[in-house]
Structure formats: structure tokens, C-alpha cells
Amino acid sequence: MYGDDATVREILTRSGDTWAVVGLSSNRQRAAYGVAQVLQRFGKRVVPVHPKAETVHGEQGYASLADVPFDVDVVDVFVNSDLAGSVADEAVAKGAKAVWFQLGVVDEEAYGRTRAAGVDMVMDRCPAIEIPRLGLG
């Protein structure tokens, strides 16, 4: 398990309220779309990061993390595992306090690099599941 309950709770409640959601587009069929709605209802500002740079859930989108012109607290990653490690590295470079890899997204080397940089991280978890499971929402 990559991220115990204490780390999950820390990220959801104390790491900050601006969440960059990498892979979020206006496609309602994608998991990122629904999870972003849950995060908004939980009080988070959701920043879409996707090559299309679409506005989603009322928030301006950006083509990459580097294009986001303000600080982000948590980077929530909805990309394939083979791409996720570079996103984690970008999140650390951007100064994020935490990185969250969604269900099915696992990169053990990226996890090691991110934790070694002092950044909290969980993998293979979903905040839309964890919020009610931990009694937070």
C-alpha cells in the first residue's frame, strides 16, 4: 500500500485546497471528471491540466503543470503509469505539497523520488473513495 490512512487524511485535510488534476478534460465519461466534482464538493479548487487546456467545472484549464501561473498544493494524476512519473517530478519541481496517483496508477520509482524530496504521496487510491471511507465528507 502506497500511502497509509494517516497520509491520505493529511493530504485531504491539511495539504491545501488547490488541486491540479492532471488528465482532467470536459469528457464526462472519464473518471477524472467525476472525481473533480467530488473534490469541489469537498471544498477544493480544481485546476484542470490537460493538453486541450479546457475549462472544466468552471475552472480554467492549462496544457501542463508548468503553465499553471499560481501555486498548487496537491497534484492528482489521472494518466497512465508510464507517464505518471514525469508528472510527479513536475509536481515536485512546481512546489506541490503532495502527489496523488489515482487507482491503477503505480510507479514505485516515482514514489521513492517524490518521498525523498519530502513530498507526501499516495498511489493507487481515489479521493472520491477515501473521503467517505475516512468519514471526511
Side-chain angles (χ1 to χ4, degrees):
M1 191 71 75
Y2 301 98
D4 57 20
D5 285 355
T7 303
V8 170
R9 184 179 300 276
E10 176 76 19
I11 292 171
L12 288 169
T13 62
R14 292 185 205 88
S15 290
D17 292 332
T18 302
W19 284 51
V21 181
V22 178
L24 175 58
S25 71
S26 62
N27 184 344
R28 295 172 182 261
Q29 304 306 312
R30 305 291 297 183
Y33 191 88
V35 171
Q37 283 182 311
V38 170
L39 287 168
Q40 280 187 323
R41 285 196 299 271
F42 190 59
K44 305 302 182 189
R45 177 183 182 192
V46 171
V47 180
V49 177
H50 188 280
K52 293 181 181 177
E54 299 172 304
T55 296
V56 184
H57 299 312
E59 290 286 347
Q60 167 67 48
Y62 300 91
S64 71
L65 271 177
D67 291 340
V68 178
F70 47 82
D71 292 340
V72 296
D73 300 310
V74 179
V75 176
D76 190 2
V77 182
F78 281 90
V79 300
N80 293 330
S81 295
D82 59 339
L83 303 173
S86 64
V87 176
D89 295 339
E90 291 172 36
V92 170
K94 179 108 178 121
K97 297 177 188 133
V99 175
W100 189 300
F101 280 10
Q102 283 296 143
L103 290 174
V105 181
V106 175
D107 181 329
E108 292 181 13
E109 291 179 7
Y111 184 85
R113 289 192 309 269
T114 302
R115 296 296 298 128
V119 176
D120 284 338
M121 184 170 179
V122 298
M123 292 194 301
D124 197 25
R125 295 273 190 101
C126 178
I129 294 169
E130 300 301 323
I131 290 167
R133 187 182 72 77
L134 293 173
L136 301 174

